[in-house]
Each structure stands twice: as C-alpha cells, then as structure tokens.
Amino acid sequence: MPPSRDPDFLLAMQQELETFIHSLRHPIVVEDEVELFDLTAARWKLTVEFGKLLFEAWNTARSIARRVEDVAYRDRGRIGVFTRQPGGRETGTLEFRNFEQAGKAGRARAGDRARFRKEFISLLGSEYSGWRLEHVSHRSDLEHSFSTWYTRGLARQGRTGWAFLGVAESETPAAMDAILAHGLIWLDWLRAQSQHATVAGLKLFLPPAAVRLSVHRAALLNNRAVQAEILEWKPGNDRPVSIDIKDFGNVETRLAPRRQGELLVNAHLPLLQECVGDSLDQMDFVADPFGNFTSLRVRGLEVARVEGQINPQIYFGLEGNYRKLDETNRGESRRFMKQVLEVRKARSQNKSHEYYRLQSERWLESLLLQDITRIDSELVPECVYPQVPAFSAADRGIIDILGVTRRGRLAVIELKVHEDINLPVQGLDYWLRVKWLQDRRQFHEHGYFRDVELSDDPPLLYLVCPAFRFHSTIERVIRYLDPAIEIIQVGLNDQWRGGFQVLFRRATRTTR
C-alpha cells in the first residue's frame, strides 16, 4: 500500500491541481496516452474525503473515478499524477494538459517508448550474454517511486548483479534530468530485495544529449557505496560506448561580476521611485548580475525592469509580455502593479490568479532573504546573494541563494516548494560549480564576500522545502553521495507565505 498522506499534503495537492487545470485554455485528461475526457465538455471535481484525494470526471455517456496518490511530474505545461482505480492495486498515471498537446505527439511518444524498450532489451541480451535479466519493467510504481520514463532491471551472473536503467532520446528533458536519482532509488530497492546476489552498482544507458549532465553528477557519488557506469547509446547503434567518469572533462565555471549590478541599481533607483510611487516599500529591487537591468519585484514576481544606463527605459508587465512605459500607459502600469500587490499576498482572496501562483520559489526566496539566519543562525545575513549565475561551458546554472557561515564556509541554498524526487541531485550541480570556483579563489575577484575570509572547507548544501514536500526517497539518494558533501535539510511550515517557520533542521549523512 502507498504511504499515508496527511491532510495538509492532500489539500495542497488538490489546490495545485485545481489551479493548474483552471489555468489551461482547453484542458483534457489523458491516461496511458488515451484521452479520457475533454474537461471543457465534461464535469469534474477534486475532493478530499476520508483521507484520500479523489478525481472524478463525467458526462452523459460515462464517468471515471481515480484516487490521486502523488504528483508524478511537472513538465512544460503538463502535470502527471500517480493514481489508482477504486479498489485497484496497480498504479497508473493521469496527465492534465492542453488539447493542443495531445493527439499525434502522445501517440508518437507511446510508439517511441515501445520501440526503445524492444531494442534496449535486445541490446542487453547481446551485451550480457550468459547473464540473467531479472525484474525488467517499465511500469510506474508509486509505492517504490519507479517511473514509466525508464526501462529498468537487474543483470545477474551467479551472485553478482548490476542494476540498469535506459531512457529513450524522445523522452522529456525532465526524464533526462532525473535519471541518476531514479537509478539510485532502483539500485537501493534491488539491494534490499536481492538475498542471493550482490548488486555491485548501477549502469545508465543514455542518449548523447543526456550524457554530460549525468556524468558530472555521477562523479560526485561515493565510489565505496556504489559503482556507477554511464553508457552512451541510442537505438540504431550497435554497441554502447562506456564513458570514463573521471576523464570526461571538468566543470570550468565563470561568475558574473557582482559590482556591475549594484552600480546599476543605484543609477536606476530615482526612476523606479518615480514609477512606483507610494508602493515602493512593498517592492524589492534586484540587480541583474551582468549589469544589464534592474528588476522590480513583488514577493519574487518581476513586475517591471529598467534597462540602459545613458537613457534608461522602464518596461512593465510579466515576463513575455513587457510593455515600454510612456505617458500613454502610465495609469495602466500603476493599476497593474496595484492589482499584483492586492493578489500576491498570503491572505489573498484570489489564490487561483496567476499573480499569486507564478514564481512561488522566488516568493519563498524573497522571504528567506529578509533574514537568512532563520534557516541557520550560523549564516551571515550581510553576505547573501540570490539568483547567482554560474556558467559551465554551454550550460547556465542559477544558484538559488549563495551564502557563507560565520566561520567562512560557503553555503549553497537550493529551494523547492513542490515535492521533487530530483532535489538532492540538482543540488549537486550548484555545489560542484561553487566548489570549482572556491578552489580557484574566484569569489573575491568577482565581488562576492569581499570582507570575508573564506574557508577551504567544502561548501555546505542546504535543501530547503516545506517539510511534507520532501520526497520520501531523499535520504535513500543522499546516502550514495560523496561524504565530502555535507547536506542539511530544512523543513518549513506549509503556510510559509504568511511567514515561514523552520520545523526541523537536520544533517543528512552519506554512506562512508
């Protein structure tokens, strides 16, 4: 049976799904790539009853009912949820999305998955001749956090076995991003189940586009706890290519100079004061680290920006719909900002409005920046940098918050407001970049921590999230990470918008 969920968790999931469905222009619900209902032409409801979240949809011809267990993924305008039919034991997946996203795309993805699985199993049979393939499956399993994105199994010869996962190149970026976390969860489950075999390690079969990120992350695993192998392969290739994790390349990273952004804020401040008027004290000014613009935000949501130094111009609106401020629309800009201020607050009367829903992690970030010592009294409140860009080759990474302890130890603070199986692994990306910059004494040079003597100790990694939104597998993933990475989980209250409270703070240990 799936783990029980407390009422707050179910109510929060209900609110998230209702808000998302209402935000879609033409919502439909899909199960196993089959459209069940056009929700614009059917009735539906989400209710919490007797400790369960139920989704029901019906029209004059038929009806369905599903128990919603958990959110499976959030990806590019879609939300998938793990479900069970009334009285059923099997876990399925419902997906809510726009009508335009269905049809050919869904059928093509189902066909791609079927072809991949067939060729992948054939490859394994030839690559590991004489090995037994066990537990091979691609079905989702909520109870154990197994995803339909991957074909998984165990290759065993005698008393030695290897866990394996493969993913098709047609899968979503979210599937590529999360494969290491899912692989470690699968490995951990096999080790717990395999009484007659030693599961030595994990083999991940990845398309070329997914290799780089997974290799850098795999380099931060504890090789005493798990042997990991990354193999580049896609259907049509004769054999997979084993990637040398130690010799794949570094994460050479560069920072944007901090001083440029600070100077620009000072230059733009008088213009912003004129634009905002009496609402100034309810907004935050955030410098673009590259010195290109100053962002004006309401609890993390950007509502205006000023660009240019010689002849600065103000643009207002939400991202993707900016308008240049002039005499003809000054009243419109004031009304827009006033509405955002009315909606985007803890006791909002319209929590389904996009002004309330958008950029929730940036909202949380804005609260933490007011007093970072509430996360940990060891953090220095004067040395906190939000949204730090750290570039590695062609990849752009944005560190949620970069801070430092009173003893000079760097701190990477990663935020999440929704449950995410991939949280600890994503935190590795930013930890690795900060460690690379630390080793090369780059922070002082670029205007960070100017008056702080930085320690040579490895950075701390804080994972901050509403307490009940930490995924149940987080400690199972963390146990396989390099012991040099000290991870601190910070669990917040669910109603953090009205003022956050730390419910727990604990160091999560890796296997040594």
Side-chain angles (χ1 to χ4, degrees), residues 269-482:
L269 189 57
L271 193 61
L272 285 169
Q273 289 174 324
E274 179 184 344
C275 169
V276 175
D278 296 337
S279 302
L280 183 66
D281 61 348
Q282 300 181 62
M283 300 185 179
D284 297 315
F285 302 117
V286 180
D288 169 43
F290 299 100
N292 295 324
F293 63 88
T294 299
S295 175
L296 183 64
R297 301 182 184 181
V298 175
R299 300 177 183 90
L301 179 65
E302 184 176 87
V303 294
R305 61 169 56 184
V306 185
E307 298 180 358
Q309 297 186 30
I310 299 176
N311 184 29
Q313 302 292 327
I314 298 179
Y315 297 84
F316 71 95
L318 301 182
E319 184 176 2
N321 189 30
Y322 294 123
R323 286 155 287 172
K324 183 178 178 180
L325 181 67
D326 55 36
E327 292 301 324
T328 66
N329 58 22
R330 190 172 296 274
E332 180 186 356
S333 73
R334 291 286 182 93
R335 288 190 295 272
F336 161 69
M337 293 184 190
K338 181 180 179 181
Q339 186 181 13
V340 174
L341 288 167
E342 289 176 349
V343 171
R344 195 171 177 84
K345 58 186 179 183
R347 296 183 178 181
S348 175
Q349 299 300 309
N350 192 358
K351 294 182 179 181
S352 64
H353 198 288
E354 63 177 345
Y355 297 165
Y356 183 89
R357 294 184 298 102
L358 291 173
Q359 295 291 333
S360 54
E361 284 171 9
R362 297 289 73 80
W363 189 339
L364 176 58
E365 175 191 287
S366 71
L367 297 177
L368 300 187
L369 293 174
Q370 294 174 15
D371 186 3
I372 199 67
T373 63
R374 293 177 62 188
I375 292 298
D376 191 332
S377 61
E378 285 297 305
L379 294 170
V380 179
E382 297 81 13
C383 297
V384 183
Y385 304 98
Q387 295 291 286
V388 177
F391 292 88
S392 175
D395 300 325
R396 174 173 179 166
I398 301 294
I399 302 166
D400 285 339
I401 300 176
L402 180 63
V404 67
T405 69
R406 300 183 190 281
R407 299 181 181 183
R409 191 170 182 182
L410 291 166
V412 180
I413 302 170
E414 177 73 358
L415 310 179
K416 280 287 184 290
V417 296
H418 298 299
E419 193 172 67
D420 190 340
I421 201 170
N422 209 30
L423 173 59
V425 176
Q426 287 177 338
L428 292 183
D429 300 340
Y430 307 119
W431 185 94
L432 181 60
R433 296 177 194 219
V434 170
K435 182 67 167 62
W436 192 94
L437 292 162
Q438 175 194 24
D439 290 344
R440 289 154 184 82
R441 314 289 182 183
Q442 295 289 299
F443 287 106
H444 287 160
E445 179 181 332
H446 288 84
Y448 296 81
F449 311 111
R450 285 192 290 265
D451 300 322
V452 178
E453 183 178 348
L454 296 177
S455 167
D456 291 331
D457 291 338
L460 296 168
L461 175 57
Y462 289 83
L463 304 179
V464 181
C465 183
F468 71 90
R469 288 292 191 176
F470 279 113
H471 199 276
S472 61
T473 62
I474 188 168
E475 293 189 8
R476 292 163 57 195
V477 173
I478 288 174
R479 73 174 60 166
Y480 291 106
L481 303 185
D482 190 324

Side-chain angles (χ1 to χ4, degrees), residues 66-229:
R66 299 287 186 269
R67 175 178 174 176
V68 180
E69 302 282 1
D70 209 344
V71 174
Y73 55 85
R74 304 171 181 85
D75 178 58
R76 295 186 298 180
R78 303 179 298 151
I79 286 185
V81 293
F82 291 120
T83 61
R84 295 180 193 264
Q85 296 189 28
R89 298 178 60 85
E90 294 290 335
T91 303
T93 304
L94 284 184
E95 183 176 281
F96 300 100
R97 63 190 183 201
N98 264 318
F99 174 76
E100 292 82 356
Q101 295 175 283
K104 292 182 179 179
R107 291 190 294 272
R109 184 162 56 252
D112 289 342
R113 283 176 175 171
R115 285 188 292 273
F116 171 79
R117 289 162 185 148
K118 182 178 180 180
E119 292 192 43
F120 182 45
I121 297 303
S122 176
L123 168 82
L124 293 171
S126 60
E127 281 292 304
Y128 301 103
S129 178
W131 291 60
R132 290 181 57 184
L133 300 182
E134 302 176 354
H135 301 293
V136 179
S137 178
H138 59 264
R139 292 187 63 84
S140 63
D141 182 336
L142 172 64
E143 183 176 356
H144 299 103
S145 300
F146 303 152
S147 173
T148 190
W149 285 338
Y150 314 108
T151 298
R152 61 186 182 272
L154 171 69
R156 186 161 72 91
Q157 187 176 54
R159 294 185 59 84
T160 300
W162 282 79
F164 64 79
L165 261 78
V167 62
E169 63 180 342
S170 60
E171 289 292 351
T172 65
M176 306 299 177
D177 186 43
I179 190 170
L180 181 60
H182 280 274
L184 293 173
I185 292 165
W186 175 236
L187 167 72
D188 194 70
W189 183 85
L190 284 174
R191 284 179 168 177
Q193 299 297 313
S194 299
Q195 300 178 356
H196 305 295
T198 299
V199 185
L202 172 67
K203 295 179 185 286
L204 300 179
F205 293 80
L206 308 176
V211 167
R212 180 182 178 85
L213 181 61
S214 293
V215 169
H216 285 318
R217 290 171 171 176
L220 295 177
L221 296 177
N222 182 356
N223 56 21
R224 297 181 62 182
V226 55
Q227 299 178 50
E229 186 175 357

